[in-house]
Amino acid sequence: MADAELLALFSDLDTRANPYPSYQRIREASPIHRSEMLPMWVVTRYQDCGTVLRDNRFGKGDGTSRIFGNPAEADDPDRQVPLLSNDSMLRKNPPDHTRLRGLVSREFTPRRVEQLRPAITDMVNQHLDHLAESGGGDVMDVLAFPLPVQVIGELLGVPESDREQFRYLVRDAAAALEPMVDAATADKARAASQEMTDYFTGLIAQRRQHPSDDLISALLEVQEEGDRLNDDELIATIILIFAAGFETTTNLIGNGLVTLLRNRDQLDLLRWRPDLAHSAVEEMLRYESSVQLDARIALEPADIDGCDIAEGDVVLTMLGAANRDPDRYDNPDRFDITRTGIQHLSFAAGIHFCLGAPLARLEGEIVFNELLRRFPNIDGDTDAPWRPSLTLRGLETLDVTVS
């Protein structure tokens, strides 16, 4: 039964559009099991997923590409996409991961990010001006994409005129993060990734000649105990920061708004209680996580709730299932912005906890407070179509009217 549900999740668009019933059936029938369909363990409960993500017996490695990426080319560095390349933090374990993260994490501390609040608030209202002028539109086009790409673009130093191209380049490259991608998808992902690599190689060369007050220039100068990012690491890190800096936040905005529209009592509550913005964003992330799947490889033999995991075994953590585990959350399928004690796994956990989480949270809080402050009336398509992806969950479009 569990493998039949997995197959549907991996291949059926209708199931992907609403994966939560399948998650529940897998969690109830086989919360931890070794899939006969794929060479991997599948973990669905909150506690078990948290263990895998935090325990240093599990890490990153080539084995995870058997799920995310083209299995036939998982070990060929010349055929990998930068988001999955051996130079990316997404594929590193300590001490290399510790070194790379340490070199860039100082730019994303909560205090550093909080200093961006006034600038981000101004950006949000610029985009809401366009929404107001037209009385509505596709939120994904008018707000959910342009805002995060503007924020991370300004932070990194990507010129405004160059940003629009990345909407589909990043989407094509991120398709390699989906389970069991076919050769055509993998080829398209590589082409998009190469285009991004060429672009940032040129931009880095410009910054070497003419440094600016941006993160790329800072990364060129950053140093810790005499250690620097080499060129391949620098390019992979910049692509990761830029792509992750808007792709998941774009989905947070779209997923969060459609969820509010489907739960008007919660929308009205947030309108009258803007102080709930922080908990509302956390509940959005729990309820409709932008990232639904993550994978680790066992670096040594391990035990999860009596299941013996051998060294080298791949473990798929189903974050979307964990975030709705009834053993962790009361009435988990209910969207409740007053929910307390939320510690979702949408940003993963442990050493690979999302570097940009403080920035995504800040953007989400500002967006929803400003949106509800400015527009007393918001209506939208509660049946908005979901993108045909599972790992990264987001909407294709979300049409709204505002007044």
Side-chain angles (χ1 to χ4, degrees):
M1 172 187 172
D3 269 0
E5 295 288 351
L6 279 176
L7 182 60
L9 282 167
F10 289 176
S11 60
D12 181 69
L13 295 183
D14 290 337
T15 304
R16 288 188 177 198
N18 181 19
Y20 302 106
S22 285
Y23 291 158
Q24 179 180 348
R25 288 189 287 268
I26 296 171
R27 192 177 55 237
E28 291 176 349
S30 305
I32 306 174
H33 71 279
R34 185 170 178 82
S35 170
E36 297 297 328
M37 181 180 66
L38 294 171
M40 65 178 181
W41 289 86
V42 178
V43 181
T44 57
R45 292 185 298 211
Y46 179 91
Q47 181 174 345
D48 300 325
C49 287
T51 295
V52 172
L53 296 173
R54 294 185 180 96
D55 196 318
N56 60 15
R57 294 174 298 174
F58 299 93
K60 295 288 189 173
D62 293 336
T64 55
S65 291
R66 282 180 270 164
I67 302 168
F68 302 111
N70 189 341
E73 297 166 352
D75 301 322
D76 183 353
D78 294 328
R79 302 288 283 173
Q80 294 167 355
V81 298
L83 291 176
L84 295 174
S85 76
N86 290 330
D87 296 304
S88 172
M89 279 189 288
L90 287 182
R91 292 283 299 277
K92 295 284 190 181
N93 295 312
D96 291 329
H97 176 271
T98 308
R99 176 178 65 87
L100 282 175
R101 191 176 178 104
L103 289 170
V104 299
S105 61
R106 68 193 70 185
E107 302 295 332
F108 291 94
T109 63
R111 181 179 179 182
R112 192 82 171 259
V113 167
E114 179 61 29
Q115 294 172 350
L116 299 174
R117 181 181 290 272
I120 293 175
T121 301
D122 288 343
M123 293 178 196
V124 168
N125 279 291
Q126 290 170 16
H127 295 293
L128 294 183
D129 286 344
H130 298 308
L131 198 64
E133 289 168 5
S134 57
D138 180 0
V139 166
M140 306 308 291
D141 281 337
V142 179
L143 177 65
F145 167 73
L147 171 70
V149 81
Q150 181 183 11
V151 172
I152 199 65
E154 293 288 340
L155 193 64
L156 274 169
V158 177
E160 182 178 358
S161 59
D162 294 345
R163 296 170 192 164
E164 178 64 29
Q165 64 182 316
F166 288 99
R167 180 172 187 176
Y168 297 102
L169 285 175
V170 169
R171 182 176 294 191
D172 287 346
L177 299 174
E178 290 301 312
M180 303 168 60
V181 298
D182 57 28
T185 301
D187 286 342
K188 195 173 183 180
R190 277 190 295 273
S193 299
Q194 187 59 55
E195 193 167 340
M196 288 192 290
T197 298
D198 293 343
Y199 173 84
F200 282 108
T201 298
L203 189 57
I204 289 167
Q206 291 178 28
R207 289 297 182 272
R208 282 199 169 103
Q209 292 294 321
H210 305 286
S212 182
D213 183 22
D214 56 44
L215 184 54
I216 290 178
S217 299
L219 289 174
L220 286 168
E221 295 298 325
V222 74
Q223 190 168 354
E224 184 175 3
E225 297 179 355
D227 198 0
R228 291 179 182 270
L229 295 159
N230 65 42
D231 286 347
D232 291 336
E233 291 171 338
L234 180 63
I235 293 170
T237 298
I238 290 172
I239 290 176
L240 176 61
I241 291 172
F242 186 66
F246 74 82
E247 174 68 14
T248 54
T249 308
T250 291
N251 293 340
L252 163 61
I253 295 170
N255 298 1
L257 182 54
V258 78
T259 302
L260 286 173
L261 292 170
R262 291 173 175 176
N263 296 270
R264 301 294 304 204
D265 61 324
Q266 300 299 294
L267 185 151
D268 291 339
L269 178 59
L270 182 57
R271 185 189 303 280
W272 298 115
R273 290 280 310 278
D275 58 296
L276 289 173
H278 177 77
S279 63
V281 168
E282 294 305 296
E283 178 70 343
M284 293 168 188
L285 288 163
R286 180 198 72 84
Y287 188 81
E288 282 288 8
S289 174
S290 299
V291 181
Q292 297 275 312
L293 307 176
D294 202 355
R296 297 290 186 272
I297 190 168
L299 304 177
E300 59 183 83
D303 174 275
I304 304 177
D305 197 29
C307 295
D308 294 324
I309 313 296
E311 181 179 350
D313 282 356
V314 176
V315 182
L316 178 67
T317 57
M318 306 195 81
L319 308 182
N323 283 339
R324 294 203 188 189
D325 183 351
D327 289 338
R328 176 62 180 82
Y329 298 105
D330 292 334
N331 200 0
D333 292 323
R334 180 173 183 269
F335 178 68
D336 179 6
I337 66 171
T338 66
R339 189 184 296 274
T340 58
I342 301 174
Q343 292 180 315
H344 56 74
L345 298 175
S346 304
F347 291 126
I351 65 170
H352 287 283
F353 182 80
C354 177
L355 193 67
L359 184 59
R361 285 173 161 138
L362 179 63
E363 290 180 61
E365 291 176 27
I366 295 172
V367 162
F368 291 107
N369 269 351
E370 292 299 303
L371 186 67
L372 298 183
R373 179 186 66 82
R374 289 193 55 173
F375 302 120
N377 298 297
I378 303 176
D379 290 300
D381 181 9
T382 55
D383 293 320
W386 294 94
R387 287 166 51 185
S389 55
L390 180 63
T391 302
L392 299 177
R393 181 165 172 79
L395 295 171
E396 288 280 8
T397 61
L398 177 55
D399 293 323
V400 302
T401 58
V402 298
S403 62

